[in-house]
Amino acid sequence: MKATIIGLGLIGGSMALDIQRLYENVLIIGIDSNEDHLNEAISLGLIHRKGNLKDDLDGDFVILAVPVDVALLLLPKILDNIAENTIVIDVGSTKKPICEVVENHPKRSNFLATHPIAGTEFSGPNAAIENLFEDKVNILCEIERTSYKKQEKALELFRKLNMRIRYMEPKSHDKHIAYVSHLSHISSFMLGKTVIEKEKDEKDIFDMAGSGFESTVRLAKSSPAMWTPIFRQNKKQIVKSLEEYIANLSTFKSFLESDDYEAIFNEMKNTNRIKEILK
Amino acid sequence: MKATIIGLGLIGGSMALDIQRLYENVLIIGIDSNEDHLNEAISLGLIHRKGNLKDDLDGDFVILAVPVDVALLLLPKILDNIAENTIVIDVGSTKKPICEVVENHPKRSNFLATHPIAGTEFSGPNAAIENLFEDKVNILCEIERTSYKKQEKALELFRKLNMRIRYMEPKSHDKHIAYVSHLSHISSFMLGKTVIEKEKDEKDIFDMAGSGFESTVRLAKSSPAMWTPIFRQNKKQIVKSLEEYIANLSTFKSFLESDDYEAIFNEMKNTNRIKEILK
């Protein structure tokens, strides 16, 4: 069993660890534009050796786990050189642009577009952990465009990882994920910014951070290099979700300004429904 | 050792559990406007018996753990009837109004204003847990206005609870906490609202919630009955923090609209500093 992992960050690195754990006689080859990350991946035991995009596209899996802008550039080239029985799986947070970029590629059926809903706020090879994907949802797009045998191979991997599979259209994925993931990140980043700007004495933030701030601001630790291209690719949906979010915050503020505490109570009461939804 | 706990929710109930654990020969008396909560508190072992505001203000501690609007009404009455050696400690999330309401009370020195920075998104007697306060910050206001012997008694309790003590002026507390706690709650509630409004099919929220949404929206499970009066009492500071938050979100949106991804990258990069601050 041979797998090539392109991009040895949190997702790629964790995938490498799990594949080693779940299959027998595994050879993991790593590719990354960052030479330090490659060496780190070797010393952490994530990969067995370094590879390149010419010679190492002939294993069982190629996992493409790079920032979504880089993925758009790499995927067509990977498909140009991929071996007949190899499947390439991307794991990016936007699905429409990547499906479009290979829409008419002659090797389209060697590709499967996925989005494992798993992660932490950390990045780089050091962030890789075992069992990251256990019991997490994996959203697969345009599965019908992947050849049947390769679908089977990918589904076997996800079954071994113990993931829950959902099927969605790329456009629908990008719309929903704008609200549930991308907007959460912006909300968190801007909350962090607002508080940092205010609190010149950082000790005060630290001391008071227990009061909910820490979990709300967790995502503001995320990697700008990973998130900037996601925001770019899903700009239209994100702008829309941001407009609705800002409108809701402004309404809340106007209720406060006009001392309408019944309305404020009701806003919170109605949103408490999130308890049952997330259970 | 005798303590009267007024308000048997998360904070009052957890305090009751810890006092039983940390002192010997403890009698805990419970007072709550909700008869069901009182009975629940007895069956959960939080309190030994029900009490009332006439006869049970003569123990070592009176812990006032009710919503902050109710606290403003109760505290003067409690001080009217409190025994000479009893200290009453409030635990509310706003400190200026409560300090002001008893500013000129003849028994002012029997009172200590505190804000333990501890909690979860849950409420009611069932939410009470042991060790909630372990290693958490407790902010004490106007300590000099509490008589020395009673200060000592309170500090001994906080030491047994293993809390870290900070001293602040009420006004300064309310300003900082608006940013670090109150704004986080509004940000979370409105994020939850925005997503719920969008997602008619709640299954979609659930499935995608792993992607950061769950932690960002955690506080939207909080109790409206507790939070409405907090927002009311700290209205001025909260409106100000909300204005700054909305302005930051609007700037981010305009960067997106004008495709200024360098600015977006920098916004995130600068906010990443939160990593070191919260370490």
Side-chain angles (χ1 to χ4, degrees), chain B residues 5-21:
Chain B
I5 315 275
I6 307 174
L8 298 161
L10 166 71
I11 299 293
S14 300
M15 199 64 94
L17 282 176
D18 278 345
I19 289 176
Q20 291 191 49
R21 186 171 54 84

Side-chain angles (χ1 to χ4, degrees), chain A residues 90-106:
Chain A
D90 96 301
V91 295
S93 187
T94 48
K95 295 272 67 81
K96 195 160 168 274
I98 198 143
C99 286
E100 279 174 358
V101 82
V102 293
E103 194 175 5
N104 300 311
H105 197 287

Side-chain angles (χ1 to χ4, degrees), chain B residues 109-154:
Chain B
S109 66
N110 288 55
F111 168 59
L112 179 61
T114 81
H115 182 194
I117 309 287
T120 70
E121 65 274 33
F122 306 112
S123 46
N126 239 318
I129 48 175
E130 279 194 13
N131 290 309
L132 178 66
F133 307 100
E134 173 81 26
D135 204 34
K136 300 289 161 56
V137 166
N138 198 355
I139 299 173
L140 313 191
C141 291
E142 296 188 346
I143 182 92
E144 71 286 354
R145 301 218 50 196
T146 308
S147 77
Y148 186 70
K149 267 189 138 169
K150 297 187 182 69
Q151 286 180 30
E152 284 284 279
K153 201 147 69 167

